[in-house]
Amino acid sequence: MTAPEAEKPPTRRQVAAQETRQKLLRAALEHFSRRPYGEVTVGDIARTAGVAHGLLSHHFKGKESLYAEVVREVDQQLKAATKLESDGPVPDRLRRHFVAHLRFLASHEDAALNLVLRRTQGTDVASTAFEATREEGVRDICAVLGLDADDPVLLLSIRGFGAACDEMSLLWLRNGRPVEIDALADAWITLLVGAVRAAYGFTPTLELREALVTLG
């Protein structure tokens, strides 16, 4: 058999194009994290990136496409940083997950306030992307607790828990982080217990009772 042909290294032009793309992404993240979408211009991004105005359209087909790419990038970083572990006691795994989430928000505060936690219309790219991530997070928590994430009664409580965590995160960041991350994560565990207990009050199933025992 003929040995597979070695992959050719990128050309100088390809390397330069990738570097330009990354410069534009970094510049766009800087601007979109600090100002509303409508206030950011293509010229702002190009100047910060130090590239010609027309290169933005060449690489991203315009501001809206670049904005969507920024949102996807932040979303992927958030999911990678907060992936729920598969080993260990459930309360410890959930607490570490919440701590990781809060640390990400704290270390990307501008993006957290203006992209991740931003209150926007449902048609907004950022709102749609991060709503999908919130839904995935709810499903992960339900899976860890052995609960059905499609149960509409359970969702009343669990989605309420998620909304409360978002609001607490927003206030926590805006008010100078008045409590430590570990303390806030512990408060979220308490809120989660309350949410499961509320769901049990609606429909006292064996699964919910076992989830309360699991949470301690």
Side-chain angles (χ1 to χ4, degrees):
M1 284 182 66
T2 304
E5 185 178 349
E7 187 176 343
K8 294 181 179 179
T11 65
R12 275 193 227 171
R13 185 172 181 176
Q14 289 170 329
V15 170
Q18 185 58 30
E19 288 176 350
T20 298
R21 181 181 174 85
Q22 290 304 312
K23 286 178 182 178
L24 286 165
L25 266 176
R26 288 193 297 269
L29 176 58
E30 178 183 333
H31 283 285
F32 290 134
S33 293
R34 294 179 179 173
R35 290 189 289 157
Y37 175 85
E39 293 182 8
V40 178
T41 69
V42 169
D44 293 333
I45 297 169
R47 279 191 295 274
T48 299
V51 303
H53 187 289
L55 286 176
L56 189 148
S57 294
H58 173 74
H59 286 280
F60 292 98
K61 312 303 179 187
K63 187 177 81 166
E64 184 176 354
S65 176
L66 177 54
Y67 178 68
E69 189 67 26
V70 166
V71 168
R72 281 192 289 271
E73 175 66 22
V74 175
D75 186 43
Q76 289 301 314
Q77 290 179 15
L78 175 61
K79 285 195 277 193
T82 61
K83 188 174 181 180
L84 196 53
E85 298 171 5
S86 57
D87 298 322
V90 168
D92 292 345
R93 290 160 59 191
L94 289 170
R95 187 176 289 105
R96 287 195 294 271
H97 170 66
F98 295 153
V99 166
H101 185 89
L102 289 163
R103 283 179 177 162
F104 181 90
L105 298 183
S107 60
H108 302 79
E109 185 167 328
D110 287 338
L113 289 171
N114 295 295
L115 291 172
V116 181
L117 300 170
R118 185 174 161 216
R119 299 293 184 262
T120 56
Q121 298 179 356
T123 55
D124 183 83
V125 173
S127 178
T128 302
F130 292 115
E131 179 60 26
T133 297
R134 290 182 183 97
E135 175 70 20
E136 185 178 327
V138 165
R139 289 187 171 277
D140 288 344
I141 290 172
C142 287
V144 167
L145 294 173
L147 300 174
D148 180 8
D150 293 317
D151 180 348
V153 176
L154 173 63
L155 284 179
L156 287 175
S157 298
I158 296 297
R159 290 305 298 265
F161 157 75
C165 290
D166 276 353
E167 187 66 20
M168 290 178 76
S169 299
L170 195 62
L171 292 172
W172 180 66
L173 291 172
R174 283 179 174 171
N175 294 332
R177 309 178 204 173
V179 299
E180 296 296 326
I181 285 177
D182 287 343
L184 189 50
D186 286 340
W188 285 8
I189 293 290
T190 301
L191 284 176
L192 179 58
V193 171
V196 175
R197 186 173 290 121
Y200 185 79
F202 295 140
T203 53
T205 65
L206 176 61
E207 291 78 12
L208 287 168
R209 185 170 67 186
E210 289 177 345
L212 286 170
V213 171
T214 297
L215 288 168

